[in-house]
């Protein structure tokens, strides 16, 4: 009679293993469903209960879908290359390979506890040569198509990790990994031309079922701007300065020019008497990060070069300055400054006493400068009186007639710095030959193995530790057989994660990265679950890779993840749980006391899955007590089942209706409340006995949340097959109807739709249903709902801003 979760859980885990229950072979004849977790990098700290949340959500969802008749692919693997693994290894004096093996073993043990439906036959590991062979293969394909190229340029440099970083890895001017302030460093780098895909990456967001905030972040990161390229002829020098501007309408207000300190023209046009000052300025600017350089409100710095350009439409010369608020890697690295209508130009002009000419005025009269809003042109000759949008077009035409401008689009997205000067990564499969130049390693010579070495600490010279290994560096040219040297940089952490989800479809293939058939069968991923911190890094890089692989003709889809769910974090005392902060709860301890199922169910109960939620041991104990009650209820009733009576039938149909609706709208926390409410009701009824349909329904429905207990309850009811071979319970509306009401749904006080709901519907359900109505979504999408009112039996009113 006593609920002993640990015993039950061991028993079912063993049974699943024996029966290979989670094997996905694609031969069941059922429709497929691919539910994927963002695979973890196996850190030395192991998993805490915060990590469990996402893994549990994805498993609950997989099992729920399985009960709907799908064959489920729910794989797991290891993102094991990269800085975290390497930094951990260095700190602890263990070779990264050994440390990684140990960490994977520990992670796997912990993940197996969850009791998830992982098909371990499909496990992938990015550090396994049989995997990274294909990571290198895709690099070679990029190189062959001109998408991987080398360029000398200032890049983000982390002085603490001693490596270059991609823009996406710099957060508020600091290294995403270690938090050290990032500096700039001029280096020859391997780059991937992700910018070639900017438009597709932007437009195709529309076809994805992703949270709006993630799409918004990607759109902002890609940052498409429309405007013009405008050329200004240099006075007393040959050549011209080209700028990108989103405000060509303000051309008559341009009073000076600014070049980025790194701009190649700087050294050519600087007057001899300005040289010393200019060079000193360039030098100090190079040491700053782009983020520091872009801070608004900061005292502006800069120097005059001594050179002038000719205004394209006026008989006027504009002085050319250099200043670090202009970035080399945006637009053309040069601007026309319009201090009256741009904040930064205004501060700069004030600082250095430069001319300010107002050219746009708000329709309702005078304005304070700088004025950046919409209005009408003034002081602008042929543009006077035109509104901004029209003036933009007209200005471009006027300058285009003289061959000095044309419409242009600019992106904030930069090409991806794809090299790291570190040991623990995939070697970049390139060989330098004096005769043949840069030669990719042919497919039959892949993988280029990462050599097993004693010393793997970063050198700090800007060279990878691999550069010191002569047996690695010296090789023969794959083309001519002559002596050649290997590239010694490695790929960034993200390389393997850009395509690992394709490999799960066909993980043991040693002839190709995957078979076309297998990938087109399982992909795209139907549901991808992970942390929001990947909104622009991994989630953008993977989309780029998939589009590229689609262009290679290897797959039939060009977006990897049809639906995305980003789970919130678990906090303890208000702070994100993390080993380094010392505020973690270890799942091993919890399982030993309360069992896996209690932890799983509590992880769902803790709050709306997309929001952060505070850990509470009391809450967990409540869930554990609840499961013990469920178990006892079955233990008492299964031997004396009675026929179903109407009160039980009604309760059952209502429970299934409520639960299904909450599941479908991904409200997994209130789904748990539905179980609790139902079981309370059943306990009231229990004195008159319970029927088979009631107990079978509950056993099936609870199984996705507490799979071990679900199987046990199913077995207690006399079954010998698995509960997961059953179907999700259905309900008959007839049992709900008598108590239904129709209510009106208003947005900002106006009726925009109608809903039929159970008379005793909770405010939460009513509001969620209202928001999900297509008619209503139209009115609230992209807006902030600031107030939600529910008047039972009458209306829901949503106030949006
Ligand atoms: C003239 C102008 C007048 C501008 C005005 C703005 C307002 P977004 O919208 O982000 O694309 N700009 C161009 N290249 C730059 C660089 N490398 N570093 C710093 N600033 C740069 O911004 C485009 C605007 O940012 C451009 O339009 C340019 O200033 C500036 F009333 O040109 B504008
Ligand atoms: Zn050669």
């Amino acid at each position: 009679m006593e609920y002993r979760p640990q015993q039950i859980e061991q028993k079912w885990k063993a049974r699943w293993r024996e029966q290979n229950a989670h094997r996905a072979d694609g031969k069941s004849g059922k429709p497929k469903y691919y539910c994927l977790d963002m695979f973890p990098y196996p850190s030395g700290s192991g998993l805490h209960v915060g990590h469990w949340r996402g893994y549990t959500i994805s498993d609950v969802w997989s099992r729920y879908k399985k009960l709907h008749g799908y064959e489920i692919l729910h794989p797991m693997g290891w993102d094991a290359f990269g800085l975290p693994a390497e930094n951990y290894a260095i700190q602890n004096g263990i070779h990264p390979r050994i440390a990684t093996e140990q960490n994977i073993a520990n992670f796997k043990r912990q993940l197996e506890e969850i009791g998830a439906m992982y098909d371990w036959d499909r496990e992938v590991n990015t550090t396994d040569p049989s995997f990274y062979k294909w990571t290198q293969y895709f690099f070679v394909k990029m190189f062959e198509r001109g998408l991987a190229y080398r360029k000398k340029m200032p890049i983000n440099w982390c002085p603490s990790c001693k490596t270059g970083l991609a823009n996406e890895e710099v957060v508020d001017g600091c290294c995403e990994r270690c938090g050290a302030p990032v500096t700039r460093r001029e280096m020859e780098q391997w780059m991937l031309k992700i910018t070639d895909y900017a438009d597709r990456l932007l437009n195709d967001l529309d076809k994805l079922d992703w949270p709006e905030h993630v799409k918004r972040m990607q759109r902002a990161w890609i940052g498409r701007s429309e405007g013009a390229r405008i050329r200004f002829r240099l006075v007393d020098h040959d050549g011209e300065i080209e700028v990108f501007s989103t405000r060509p309408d303000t051309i008559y207000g341009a009073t000076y020019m600014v070049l980025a300190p790194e701009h190649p023209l700087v050294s050519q046009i600087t007057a001899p008497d300005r040289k010393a000052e200019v060079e000193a300025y360039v030098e100090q600017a190079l040491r700053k990060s782009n983020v520091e350089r872009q801070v608004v409100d900061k005292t502006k710095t800069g120097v005059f070069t001594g050179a002038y350009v000719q205004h394209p439409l006026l008989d006027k010369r504009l002085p050319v300055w250099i200043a670090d608020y202009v970035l080399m890697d945006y637009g053309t690295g040069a601007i026309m400054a319009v201090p009256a209508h741009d904040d930064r130009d205004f501060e700069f002009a004030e600082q250095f006493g430069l001319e300010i000419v107002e050219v746009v005025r708000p329709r309702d009269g005078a304005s304070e400068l700088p004025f950046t809003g919409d209005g009408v042109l003034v002081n602008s000759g042929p543009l006077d009186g035109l509104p901004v949008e029209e003036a933009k077009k007209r200005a471009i035409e006027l300058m285009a007639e003289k061959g000095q401008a044309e419409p242009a689009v600019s992106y904030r997205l930069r090409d991806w710095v794809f090299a790291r000067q570190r040991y623990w990564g995939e070697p970049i499969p390139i060989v330098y030959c004096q005769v043949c130049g840069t030669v990719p390693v042919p497919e039959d010579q892949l993988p280029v193995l990462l050599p097993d070495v004693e010393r793997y600490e970063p050198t700090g010279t800007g060279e990878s530790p691999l550069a010191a290994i002569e047996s690695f560096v010296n090789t023969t040219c794959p083309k001519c057989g002559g002596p050649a040297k290997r590239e010694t940089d490695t790929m960034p952490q993200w390389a393997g994660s850009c395509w690992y989800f394709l490999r799960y479809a066909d993980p043991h293939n040693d002839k190709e990265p995957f078979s076309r058939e297998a990938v087109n069968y399982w992909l795209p991923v139907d549901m991808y679950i992970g942390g929001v911190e990947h909104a622009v890094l991994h989630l953008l890089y993977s989309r780029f890779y998939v589009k590229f692989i689609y262009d290679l003709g290897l797959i039939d889809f060009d977006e990897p993840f049809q639906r995305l769910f980003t789970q919130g974090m678990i906090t303890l005392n208000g702070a994100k749980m993390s080993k380094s902060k010392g505020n973690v709860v270890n799942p091993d301890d919890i399982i030993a006391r309360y069992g896996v199922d209690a932890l799983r169910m509590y992880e769902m109960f803790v709050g709306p899955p997309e929001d952060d939620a505070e850990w509470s041991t009391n809450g967990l104990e409540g869930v554990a007590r609840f499961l013990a009650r469920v178990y006892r209820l079955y233990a008492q009733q299964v031997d004396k089942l009675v026929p179903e009576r109407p009160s039980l039938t009604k309760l059952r149909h209502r429970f299934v209706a409520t639960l299904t609706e909450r599941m479908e709208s991904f409200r997994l926390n209130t789904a748990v409340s539905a179980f609790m409410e139902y079981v309370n009701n059943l306990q009231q009824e229990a004195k008159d006995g319970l029927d088979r349909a009631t107990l079978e329904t509950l056993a099936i429905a609870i199984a996705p949340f507490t799979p071990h207990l679900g199987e046990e309850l199913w077995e207690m009811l006399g079954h010998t097959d698995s509960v997961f071979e059953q179907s999700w319970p259905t309900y008959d509306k007839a049992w709900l109807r008598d108590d239904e009401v129709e209510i009106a749904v208003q947005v900002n006080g106006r009726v925009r739709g109608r809903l039929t709901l159970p008379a005793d519907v909770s405010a939460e359900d009513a509001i969620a249903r209202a928001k999900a109505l297509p008619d209503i979504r139209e009115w609230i999408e992209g807006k902030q709902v600031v107030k939600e009112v529910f008047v039972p039996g009458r209306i829901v009113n949503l106030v949006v801003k």
Side-chain angles (χ1 to χ4, degrees):
M1 283 295 246
E2 197 57 26
Y3 175 45
R4 295 190 204 289
Q6 290 81 1
Q7 273 176 22
I8 293 176
E9 288 159 9
Q10 286 313 322
K11 166 180 156 187
W12 289 102
K13 282 204 174 80
R15 185 118 15 128
W16 292 333
R17 218 172 299 125
E18 272 159 38
Q19 296 176 347
N20 223 337
H22 305 142
R23 175 79 176 271
D25 59 17
K27 295 185 186 124
S28 63
K30 299 175 180 175
K32 69 93 184 179
Y33 194 90
Y34 186 176
C35 182
L36 181 65
D37 293 284
M38 291 182 186
F39 66 162
Y41 79 82
S43 75
S45 333
L47 294 173
H48 57 63
V49 296
H51 299 119
W52 263 60
R53 194 177 189 193
Y55 301 130
T56 308
I57 292 173
S58 69
D59 192 56
V60 169
W61 194 249
S62 297
R63 291 180 180 278
Y64 176 68
K65 285 289 171 185
K66 181 166 169 84
L67 291 170
H68 282 80
Y70 291 94
E71 180 172 1
I72 307 297
L73 175 57
H74 188 39
M76 186 42 79
W78 317 107
D79 186 16
F81 267 137
L83 279 178
E86 186 171 353
N87 286 348
Y88 171 83
I90 290 169
Q91 271 160 29
N92 296 280
I94 312 172
H95 193 283
R97 185 177 44 74
I98 312 257
T100 300
E101 277 167 18
Q102 288 171 357
N103 294 347
I104 287 179
N106 186 46
F107 259 63
K108 189 163 178 179
R109 177 190 64 76
Q110 287 195 301
L111 281 173
E112 282 181 340
E113 287 291 352
I114 291 177
M117 308 180 54
Y118 301 133
D119 179 358
W120 287 111
D121 287 345
R122 291 178 186 261
E123 178 176 350
V124 302
N125 175 346
T126 54
T127 66
D128 190 326
S130 70
F131 179 91
Y132 73 69
K133 168 177 179 162
W134 303 110
T135 310
Q136 292 176 334
Y137 166 89
F138 287 122
F139 182 89
V140 169
K141 293 287 165 210
M142 291 246 184
F143 177 81
E144 288 169 356
R145 279 163 181 72
L147 290 168
Y149 65 98
R150 240 156 100 83
K151 186 177 171 194
K152 185 163 188 150
M153 58 175 287
I155 60 151
N156 305 304
W157 176 263
C158 172
S160 162
C161 293
K162 299 193 172 78
T163 182
L165 299 173
N167 283 352
E168 291 82 354
E169 290 170 300
V170 180
V171 178
D172 296 335
C174 296
C175 170
E176 193 223 10
R177 282 300 164 199
C178 74
V182 169
T183 57
R184 308 285 285 174
R185 186 162 177 161
E186 177 102 358
M187 292 215 318
E188 179 117 6
Q189 288 290 331
W190 278 101
M191 310 281 292
L192 295 188
K193 227 177 187 169
I194 190 172
T195 51
D196 268 14
Y197 286 75
D199 265 326
R200 284 163 71 188
L201 288 169
L202 189 66
N203 296 338
D204 289 350
L205 283 172
D206 294 343
K207 34 183 208 192
L208 301 178
D209 183 5
W210 283 22
E212 211 36 61
H213 68 274
V214 176
K215 291 191 188 182
R216 208 179 309 125
M217 282 169 78
Q218 291 215 353
R219 283 190 193 108
W221 190 262
I222 296 166
R224 185 178 194 277
S225 296
E226 280 182 23
R229 272 176 196 275
I230 307 172
R231 285 172 293 278
F232 295 74
R233 251 190 300 281
L234 284 158
V235 178
D236 300 332
H237 291 274
D238 288 338
E240 52 196 16
I241 294 177
E242 187 176 55
V243 305
F244 170 75
S245 174
T246 46
R247 296 291 306 273
D249 55 303
T250 61
I251 181 68
Y252 287 93
T255 57
Y256 64 99
M257 308 289 289
V258 187
L259 300 178
E262 306 91 333
H263 199 288
L265 276 177
V266 172
S267 56
Q268 288 173 44
I269 63 169
T270 301
D273 62 320
R274 317 266 343 142
K275 224 175 178 72
E277 209 186 326
V278 165
E279 278 169 7
Y281 184 80
V282 170
E283 160 128 11
Q284 62 92 32
L286 276 181
R287 271 180 277 136
K288 290 195 201 164
S289 72
N290 273 358
V291 176
E292 275 174 89
R293 287 169 55 164
Q294 281 175 294
V295 176
V296 192
D297 275 355
K298 183 195 64 154
T299 315
K300 292 278 175 293
T301 61
V303 284
F304 177 45
T305 61
Y308 291 86
V309 295
Q310 180 62 46
H311 190 285
L313 299 176
L314 287 171
D315 183 15
K316 182 175 179 177
R317 301 186 332 164
L318 310 179
V320 181
W321 286 65
I322 63 172
D324 63 11
Y325 76 92
V326 174
L327 307 177
M328 193 55 222
D329 49 15
Y330 188 70
T332 63
I335 65 159
M336 64 178 209
V338 184
H341 305 289
D342 180 275
D343 295 327
R344 289 166 307 174
D345 298 347
F346 185 79
E347 284 164 29
F348 192 86
E350 292 254 285
Q351 177 101 4
F352 294 101
L354 296 161
E355 192 189 4
I356 299 174
V357 178
E358 183 191 28
V359 290
V360 182
R361 205 168 277 172
R363 275 165 232 275
D364 55 10
S367 69
E368 215 179 296
L369 296 181
F371 171 66
T372 56
D374 191 15
V376 177
L377 275 279
V378 295
N379 298 326
S380 295
L383 304 180
D384 279 351
L386 292 179
V388 165
E389 275 318 304
E390 268 173 59
K392 283 184 184 173
K393 286 191 207 106
R394 188 70 195 121
I396 297 175
E397 280 165 17
L398 288 173
M399 292 184 280
E401 281 161 20
K402 304 176 145 195
Q404 286 190 273
E406 65 268 329
V409 171
S410 185
Y411 296 91
R412 216 178 75 93
L413 184 68
R414 300 273 65 95
D415 277 348
W416 179 9
V417 177
F418 200 71
R420 298 294 178 273
Q421 295 69 47
R422 295 288 297 242
Y423 170 71
W424 192 235
E426 302 86 347
I428 290 179
I430 292 287
V431 162
Y432 302 104
C433 167
Q434 285 198 338
V435 182
C436 314
T438 305
V439 182
V441 177
E443 190 184 325
D444 62 4
Q445 291 173 34
L446 295 177
V448 176
L449 287 174
L450 183 64
D452 202 0
V453 293
E454 297 284 303
R455 289 189 48 82
Y456 45 81
E457 284 86 0
T459 61
T461 60
E463 266 196 321
S464 146
L466 295 181
I469 306 167
E470 286 189 15
S471 58
F472 175 79
V473 176
N474 294 317
T475 183
T476 52
C477 170
K479 253 192 191 161
C480 71
K485 294 206 181 296
R486 280 193 197 283
E487 170 61 62
T488 56
D489 280 356
T490 53
M491 297 186 198
Q493 149 113 65
W494 315 102
S497 59
C498 282
W499 75 280
Y500 77 107
F501 44 88
L502 302 174
R503 182 74 177 172
Y504 281 135
D506 191 14
H508 308 295
N509 197 327
D510 57 3
K511 309 252 161 5
E512 37 182 6
F514 41 74
S515 87
R516 203 194 165 85
E517 196 195 347
V519 163
N520 284 334
Y521 178 76
W522 287 110
L523 276 281
V525 171
D526 296 282
M527 173 66 101
Y528 197 26
I529 295 180
V532 71
E533 66 275 14
H534 293 296
V536 284
L537 289 151
H538 163 61
L539 288 170
L540 189 66
Y541 296 152
S542 313
R543 295 182 59 224
F544 163 50
Y545 258 64
V546 161
K547 290 184 186 306
F548 168 67
I549 294 170
Y550 171 82
D551 289 351
L552 287 177
L554 299 184
I555 53 178
D556 294 346
F557 51 91
D558 65 353
E559 281 290 342
F561 315 121
Q562 188 47 42
R563 184 168 174 193
L564 174 72
F565 181 81
T566 54
Q567 85 266 6
M569 287 179 309
I570 297 283
T571 59
L572 188 62
N573 307 322
K576 172 184 178 183
M577 222 176 244
S578 92
K579 182 100 171 192
S580 60
K581 292 203 202 93
N583 65 340
V584 296
V585 176
N586 184 331
D588 298 350
D589 304 340
I590 300 289
I591 293 166
R593 263 195 86 176
Y594 304 99
V596 173
D597 282 336
L599 177 53
R600 286 177 60 114
M601 194 153 209
Y602 173 65
E603 295 267 0
M604 299 303 96
F605 190 47
V606 69
E610 63 279 12
D611 294 348
D612 291 354
E614 174 76 8
W615 174 267
S616 147
T617 304
N618 279 342
L620 172 67
E621 281 170 353
V623 170
R625 276 196 304 273
F626 168 71
L627 294 183
R629 257 169 48 213
V630 172
Y631 180 85
R632 277 197 304 272
L633 187 67
Y634 278 70
Q636 287 158 3
Q637 299 289 333
V638 286
D639 293 331
K640 45 174 192 188
L641 296 176
V642 299
E644 188 168 36
R645 49 182 183 276
S647 60
L648 284 169
T649 314
K650 184 164 176 177
L651 280 175
R652 176 162 61 83
H653 284 273
R654 291 175 164 245
F655 161 67
V656 174
T658 305
L659 179 65
T660 305
E661 185 177 309
R662 292 180 185 181
M663 292 302 289
E664 287 301 312
S665 51
F666 226 76
R667 287 176 290 144
L668 303 177
N669 56 323
T670 54
V672 176
S673 334
F675 287 113
M676 293 176 167
E677 202 188 308
Y678 187 45
V679 170
N680 280 343
N681 288 331
L682 293 185
Q683 283 184 319
Q684 304 289 321
E685 297 273 349
K687 55 183 184 318
D688 301 325
L690 297 177
D691 64 289
R692 173 165 287 277
T694 292
L695 292 181
E696 289 194 345
T697 297
L698 179 59
I700 297 169
I702 208 168
F705 291 80
T706 59
H708 314 84
L709 179 62
E711 294 272 34
E712 185 71 17
L713 300 178
W714 189 246
E715 191 181 67
M716 287 163 89
L717 286 164
H719 296 287
T720 52
D721 60 348
S722 165
V723 71
F724 294 102
E725 297 305 321
Q726 316 312 312
S727 295
W728 184 255
T730 53
Y731 62 94
D732 185 342
K733 282 202 172 130
W735 289 96
L736 320 177
R737 201 176 297 136
D738 52 351
D739 312 273
E740 274 179 342
V741 287
E742 195 190 67
I743 63 160
V745 182
Q746 303 181 335
V747 178
N748 290 347
R750 302 194 50 177
V751 177
R752 302 290 185 192
R754 294 195 177 275
L755 259 185
T756 306
L757 293 171
D760 60 350
V761 68
S762 68
E764 186 214 314
D765 284 342
I767 289 164
R769 280 277 298 267
K771 284 179 170 171
L773 277 181
D775 286 352
I776 298 302
R777 265 166 61 176
E778 218 173 276
W779 293 98
I780 63 175
E781 207 138 73
K783 303 211 177 96
Q784 202 192 340
V785 179
V786 292
K787 200 166 165 201
E788 302 168 338
V789 185
F790 172 56
V791 184
R794 297 193 40 219
I795 55 159
V796 167
N797 184 23
L798 303 170
V799 182
V800 300
K801 220 175 35 188

